[in-house]
Structure formats: structure tokens, C-alpha cells
Amino acid sequence: MHSVQPLLGLSWLTPVHPNQLFTARSYKYRRFPILGYSQLLLDSKTPTMRASLLSLAGVASLAFSGLGLAADAEEWKTRSVYQVMIDRYARTDGSIDHECEAHEFCGGTWRGLINKLDYIQDMGFTAIQISPINKNMEEHTAVGDPYHGYWTTDLYALNDKFGTEKDFKDLVAELKKRDIYLMADVVVNHMAQKFDNKPPPKIDYSKFNPFNDEKYFHPYCNVTEKGWLNATEYQDCWLYPYGVALADLDTRNEFVIKEMNSWIKGLVSNYSIDGLRIDAAKHVNDEFLPGFVKSSGVFAWGEVLTGETEDFCRYQTLDLLPGMPNYLDYYKLVDGFNGGSFEKLAQIKKQAINNCNDTFALGTFVENHDMPRFANKNSDMAIAKNAMTYVILNDGVPTVYQGQEQHFNGFETPHNREPLWQSGYDKESPLYKLTATLNKVRNHIIKLDKDYVNTASEILKANSNYFCTKKGSYGSQIVFCITNNSSKGGKHPLIVGGFQADQKVVEVLTCQSNQAGMSGTIEMKMNNGVPKVYVPADALKDSGICEQTTAEEFRDDTSGAGVTGAATGLLAAAVAGWAFMFLA
């Protein structure tokens, strides 16, 4: 049995193997956040309760009709997302030597983020996802401070730990200036209060705004071990309380529904928010979600933490959510790099295509603020490069969690939330340079091929050690191969297709040229466990990518030098005035 532990921050349950995800003892819910903010005046008139809620089908039919007014799914598919935890990204004074206790406030601010946006933009990211912005509880608890922003007490006030309203508005303005989309993390499942660990929690509901009465919350109950298989229980009971009581909102209550929908509409409108991440979406009743997304008027991801295809994809097939962070890929990808096989990754991808409505609207990731760092399980730099390559070039929206590009290796919460300033914002680190190259290539190809983001990858090879795909139309396709062979993996020629006969191609991580044979295949010279990424040579014209090439050959590349040529191309592009081409 997997025990429950009083981990600091938002993660409370010990990790379990994804193959056990849908068993009672191993349901992988790991966070309990909340969010929100709007300056709209609170409507004091409680609406008359209807006899019953709209049926799920009725709600779904109305689901996303308002998305065209702002950044919609099609626009988000062209973006690449960098996830920021405000308290751990940058301090206002720009200091990089400030010590940080993992479970306490460390001083990151919205102003600090503004001052360090170049760091994100220079990697080629065209969107950021930020942690919650609204007021949290003030107390220090048995599981630390609310540095993460998820323990909301007031939807209608900003979190002054992160700065002033002017600071936040200045952040939004600067993002718009740079054409970087803003995704706000929001939680509608609960509100938070300090807990003495003596159940049932003694909640002073009057401290919550706007839900200042017990009648807006579900009666206290703790999710039982078998309850993780029972939707009524895991949606209506309080998620495991330790140090903080997460009072579970009754999102079937007419006032709660109306207030939440009004609030999110105001939040998006007042601050020009481009997208949402709905935390703990699986723990809110189904009927609530489509109306909430529709009220926002923007694209939304909802967190559905499961590795089971049917349980995951139903959120799209029932029109509950436009998209979700792709946990299906996540578990198989991590396994594939840690003793598993990429065959299972290929299988889950096919299952997702057959069961989900739109896999291109899913967010691809190998790290976030809830899961152990990828490098915690495997510190090999070559393996990290392969993982990053998959995240950026896979179907769906690339999502990189701050610090991944610096090879951070923290374990569970809060140790996977290291302050980024510890890295010195090093733009010469191997993964930073690799990420910049991969984003530049992806952004360039999207410009050339309007159908690229909605073209399913063709799996060319999937076995114990290699995973290769072709994505995009011939002439502007990207063919990449990743491997779980480590940096000590040696030299391995690999015959891979995905090209046209006699097509000249460039391996963009080393700026080496190659040419396909009559059958449309090339011999990839896999070396030292690093990934390979090929693009037709003609597609790179006027891109600033690999302006000088050499013939492909085996070369030692264990330190990150494999992106030197492409990085030089980036510099040349900047000189030529193309530095911001990927922001269009």
C-alpha cells in the first residue's frame, strides 16, 4: 500500500507507478491548488436555485462556442509554453545569491519575471504559464508557506506577496508587447485554511470571499482508499488534509456556478489573459467544466491526472475540456527513458489518437511543479536532451517547466521547485541552447506549413531503444529520433525513412548535411546517445538555422556542443534582423 505523507507544499501522496494509476491504492492526485482574481464588484444577490442543473449533454452542446473571441485552440497549438512558478523564478532586485528554504517564501515576483523575460524569449518560447495570482492564506503551516499561490482565500484580491496590481498589469503589457501568450493557473475545486490535523477541520467560512458560508461547500469527508474509483467521492469529498484544509466547493450549487463563471469572465477580460490551466479538473463535477470554460472565452487545459486512456480522453469526447496536459505520454515517456521500452509510448499515442478528440491540443511535458524532476531519476545529459527533443517536437503544445533547461534534479514537492536564480540564468547551458534551437526550428516550420500543428506524427520506428517520427508535409517535415542509450551508448548507425528520394536534409543540432537515397531513407549516425533532428535543406533557407553545414559523420558530443552550429545560426539571424521571427 502506498502511504500518505505530509509532504511540503502541494503534493501529499507518495508517487506510484503509472501502470497502477487506476487502482484504489494508487490514484495519483498530488496537488491541491486554487486560484483566481477579478476586479468586478461582487454581486450580492444570490440567484434563485433552479430545480436542477442542465444535463451534461446540454452543457456540452454550449461548451466552447465563445472561444473564437480570444486565443483559441488553433492559436495555442502554434505556441510553445514555459511554465513559471512566480516565487521561484526571479526576485525584483535580480539577485542570484538569495538563499531559499524549499517550503518557505523565497521572494520571486511579477516584477522579477518582467525583468527576466529575455531569458524565456531567447529560448524561443511564445507563451508562459504562471502560478495563481490571487490572495492566499497568510499563516505558515505544517507543510510550509503558500509560496506556490494555490491556497486561495479571496478570489477578488491579488496576492501581494508577488507584487502590486501595477506590477501584474505591467507584466501583461510586456507580454503583449512581445507577443507572448499568458496562461493563468486557476483552481475552482476548493479554498484553503490552516488545519491543526484534528479532523474534522474547524473552518471559519467567513474568511473566504466570495464563498463566505458553509452552504457553498460540500460537507467534510475524506476520500477513502476505494473512493479514488468513485467519481462522487473524489469529486465531493475533501482532498486529503494535512496542515491545510482544502474546503471542497460545491460546484453544483447555483450561486457557486454563477459566481465562478462571472469571476473567470472578469479575470480574463480585466487582464487580457490568453488561456487557462484548470487545476484538479478531475475533482470537479463534469457539468461544471464546459460552462466555466465557455465563460472564460479562452482556450483551457484541465488537469486530469491519470494514465488511463479512457478516463483521460473522455474529457475531450464529452466536450468537458478543450485540452489537457498530456499525462498519457508523460508516464510512458519517463518509463521509456528509465529501463522501459518506447514501444509502449507508441502504443499509448495510437490509443490517444483513437480515443481523444484532438491530441494536438494536449500539452506535452516531462516535468511540472508536481512531479519529480526528470533528472532526479536519470542525470545523464544525453538522456535529458532526448527528453527535451520529444517535448518540443512531439504532436501537441510543448510545455517546459522552469529549471528543466538547467538540468535541475529535485525530487518531490517542494524540492522540485528550486529557485531558478540558482542557475544564474545560464544561457550557455547545454539544455538551454538545445531548447532554443528546437523552438526555433519548430517555429520556423510552423510558418512554412499552416497544417503542421494539425498533422499527426508518423511513427517510423519504436522499439526498446529508439523512437523516430516524421511530422509535417514533405518539403517542410521534421524527422527526429530519440534514444534511451546514455552518453556511453557508443556509435549506432540507424536507417530511418520519412524523406523523399534524393532529398537533401540537415541535422539541425549539429548542422551536418545528409541526403536520402532512392527509397527515402538516410543513415542516421547515432552517437553518444544524443538525439537527431532532420529538416529538408530547402526548408531552412532564410531561417538563420545552420547557414553553414558539413557532411554528417560520427562525432563525439557529450557536453552539449551538438547545438553549437545551430546556436551560431541563431546569432547570425539576430544580426540579420530575424531575432523575433518565431514570435509571429
Side-chain angles (χ1 to χ4, degrees), residues 222-498:
N222 192 8
V223 183
T224 63
E225 186 172 341
K226 293 183 178 181
W228 297 116
L229 295 176
N230 183 326
T232 299
E233 190 166 336
Y234 68 67
Q235 289 179 354
D236 292 355
C237 285
W238 297 25
L239 299 174
Y240 182 78
Y242 184 90
V244 176
L246 303 168
D248 199 82
L249 279 161
D250 181 3
T251 48
R252 294 180 180 86
N253 180 291
E254 194 70 18
F255 176 75
V256 173
I257 295 170
K258 180 180 178 181
E259 191 57 47
M260 280 291 189
N261 290 349
S262 175
W263 160 71
I264 197 60
K265 181 178 180 180
L267 174 71
V268 169
S269 176
N270 291 348
Y271 294 113
S272 300
I273 298 211
D274 302 297
L276 303 175
R277 175 189 177 276
I278 305 172
D279 191 84
K282 185 172 181 175
H283 297 273
V284 178
N285 61 295
D286 290 357
E287 297 87 349
F288 174 83
L289 292 169
F292 183 77
V293 175
K294 180 177 182 293
S295 295
S296 76
V298 295
F299 175 73
W301 278 332
E303 182 192 30
V304 180
L305 208 163
T306 177
E308 297 292 328
T309 306
E310 183 177 354
D311 190 35
F312 182 83
C313 288
R314 76 179 192 85
Y315 282 84
Q316 278 193 337
T317 57
L318 294 177
D319 288 329
L320 305 181
L321 293 166
M324 299 84 75
N326 193 346
Y327 276 98
L328 298 181
D329 268 18
Y330 168 79
Y331 294 118
K332 302 305 182 186
L333 190 62
V334 172
D335 275 357
F337 283 118
N338 291 279
S341 170
F342 288 128
E343 292 175 317
K344 292 183 178 179
L345 176 62
Q347 291 169 4
I348 201 72
K349 286 177 70 66
K350 292 177 181 178
Q351 290 174 20
I353 290 173
N354 292 333
N355 288 277
C356 291
N357 285 1
D358 189 356
T359 55
F360 308 119
L362 305 179
T364 305
F365 70 98
V366 293
E367 288 189 14
N368 63 30
H369 61 301
D370 296 320
M371 300 301 181
R373 292 284 190 179
F374 183 81
N376 183 266
K377 283 190 173 183
N378 194 324
S379 62
D380 189 279
M381 179 58 75
I383 294 295
K385 289 181 180 181
N386 282 275
M388 187 68 81
T389 299
Y390 183 89
V391 167
I392 303 296
L393 300 182
N394 180 47
D395 291 343
V397 183
T399 310
V400 173
Y401 172 45
Q402 67 177 53
Q404 181 182 343
E405 76 283 359
Q406 297 295 344
H407 211 215
F408 282 1
N409 63 358
F411 182 39
E412 291 198 333
T413 302
H415 305 292
N416 59 350
R417 298 170 179 179
E418 310 96 317
L420 187 60
W421 55 80
Q422 289 181 348
S423 71
Y425 305 97
D426 182 8
K427 293 184 178 182
E428 294 300 314
S429 68
L431 289 176
Y432 184 98
K433 293 166 67 177
L434 173 68
T435 305
T437 298
L438 293 171
N439 268 328
K440 186 172 180 65
V441 170
R442 180 179 184 268
N443 292 331
H444 175 67
I445 295 299
I446 288 172
K447 279 190 168 185
L448 295 181
D449 182 1
K450 63 181 178 62
D451 297 321
Y452 176 83
V453 295
N454 285 313
T455 301
S457 293
E458 176 188 350
I459 298 176
L460 305 172
K461 187 181 295 290
N463 57 31
S464 297
N465 300 115
Y466 294 100
F467 184 87
C468 305
T469 72
K470 166 192 169 288
K471 183 174 177 65
S473 304
Y474 282 111
S476 57
Q477 78 269 34
I478 297 177
V479 175
F480 76 84
C481 283
I482 58 172
T483 178
N484 55 17
N485 291 326
S486 70
S487 56
K488 299 178 181 179
K491 300 177 180 180
H492 300 278
L494 192 67
I495 305 299
V496 178

Side-chain angles (χ1 to χ4, degrees), residues 48-289:
T48 302
M49 295 292 289
R50 296 177 184 171
S52 62
L53 292 175
L54 291 171
S55 67
L56 175 58
V59 174
S61 68
L62 299 173
F64 309 125
S65 60
L67 287 180
L69 299 177
D72 62 12
E74 294 308 307
E75 292 171 298
W76 272 97
K77 290 175 186 178
T78 69
R79 300 284 162 153
S80 184
V81 181
Y82 187 79
Q83 182 192 351
V84 172
M85 177 163 278
I86 295 296
D87 184 65
R88 306 296 165 88
Y89 181 75
R91 291 169 56 82
T92 299
D93 62 8
S95 59
I96 60 174
D97 57 356
H98 180 78
E99 294 185 3
C100 177
E101 292 293 335
H103 60 285
E104 297 178 358
F105 281 106
C106 293
T109 62
W110 296 317
R111 183 64 59 184
L113 174 56
I114 294 172
N115 296 337
K116 288 294 183 182
L117 281 177
D118 284 350
Y119 175 87
I120 297 173
Q121 191 171 34
D122 289 350
M123 265 189 292
F125 287 102
T126 52
I128 64 169
Q129 173 192 320
I130 63 169
S131 45
I133 65 172
N134 61 305
K135 184 177 180 179
N136 276 219
M137 54 186 286
E138 299 286 342
E139 300 91 342
H140 180 81
T141 75
V143 288
D145 294 336
Y147 63 88
H148 37 70
Y150 289 100
W151 295 342
T152 304
T153 58
D154 189 344
L155 294 182
Y156 292 93
L158 284 173
N159 191 335
D160 59 10
K161 291 287 188 179
F162 300 154
T164 65
E165 182 180 31
K166 183 180 185 304
D167 291 334
F168 187 68
K169 286 185 174 181
D170 286 350
L171 171 61
V172 173
E174 185 61 28
L175 291 172
K176 299 302 179 188
K177 178 181 176 182
R178 295 169 181 251
D179 190 25
I180 297 176
Y181 279 6
L182 173 62
M183 176 175 280
D185 201 341
V186 300
V187 176
V188 296
N189 184 64
H190 44 258
M191 303 191 84
Q193 207 162 108
K194 187 175 181 177
F195 177 42
D196 62 6
N197 299 327
K198 298 177 182 179
K202 303 171 186 64
I203 302 297
D204 182 354
Y205 293 94
S206 67
K207 292 184 177 181
F208 295 146
N209 184 28
F211 308 115
N212 58 1
D213 193 288
E214 185 176 1
K215 66 185 178 183
Y216 301 130
F217 296 83
H218 289 123
Y220 174 76
C221 58
N222 192 8
V223 183
T224 63
E225 186 172 341
K226 293 183 178 181
W228 297 116
L229 295 176
N230 183 326
T232 299
E233 190 166 336
Y234 68 67
Q235 289 179 354
D236 292 355
C237 285
W238 297 25
L239 299 174
Y240 182 78
Y242 184 90
V244 176
L246 303 168
D248 199 82
L249 279 161
D250 181 3
T251 48
R252 294 180 180 86
N253 180 291
E254 194 70 18
F255 176 75
V256 173
I257 295 170
K258 180 180 178 181
E259 191 57 47
M260 280 291 189
N261 290 349
S262 175
W263 160 71
I264 197 60
K265 181 178 180 180
L267 174 71
V268 169
S269 176
N270 291 348
Y271 294 113
S272 300
I273 298 211
D274 302 297
L276 303 175
R277 175 189 177 276
I278 305 172
D279 191 84
K282 185 172 181 175
H283 297 273
V284 178
N285 61 295
D286 290 357
E287 297 87 349
F288 174 83
L289 292 169

